[in-house]
Amino acid sequence: MPLYAFRCPEGTEFDRTYPMSEVPAAVDCPECGGAARRRMSAPRLSVAGSTAYRLMDATAATAHEPPVVTSLPGSGGGGGGARITRNPLHQKLPRP
C-alpha cells in the first residue's frame, strides 16, 4: 500500500498508509487532534512490512554489525556434535 503525507494546521507532518481506493482527504492529527489535510508529495510505495524488506535490512546490518559470539563452535553450548539420523536413505549418502 502507498504512503500518504499529511500536515495539520499546527505544522505537524506525518505519514499514513491507505489503499489507493480508500485514502481520505483529511485525518485527525496524532499530536493536536485537528484535521490534517493530505498534501502533495512524491509517490512512495512502501515495502517496509514485507518479509523481503526485513531480509534485506538484516543482511545489510550483518555487514557492519555481526552477531556476538558467546562460545566457540562445537564447544558444547550449541549441540554442534555429530548428528545421527535414522533415515535409511541417508546411509547411501557419501560421508566426509
Side-chain angles (χ1 to χ4, degrees):
M1 285 190 280
L3 286 171
Y4 293 95
F6 291 89
R7 181 181 172 129
C8 77
E10 300 293 322
T12 305
E13 295 182 1
F14 57 96
D15 297 330
R16 293 279 168 91
T17 304
Y18 292 101
M20 288 182 174
S21 61
E22 299 174 11
V23 61
V27 295
D28 293 335
C29 175
E31 298 282 325
C32 66
R37 293 181 54 196
R38 189 174 75 208
R39 62 186 187 92
M40 296 296 289
S41 63
R44 294 175 287 172
L45 300 176
S46 174
V47 294
S50 71
T51 305
Y53 182 80
R54 285 191 298 272
L55 177 63
M56 288 185 289
D57 192 36
T59 304
T62 59
H64 57 86
E65 298 172 6
V68 177
V69 177
T70 57
S71 65
L72 294 174
S75 64
R83 294 184 181 154
I84 298 174
T85 178
R86 304 281 185 226
N87 189 334
L89 296 175
H90 292 171
Q91 293 176 353
K92 297 178 182 179
L93 295 173
R95 293 198 164 82

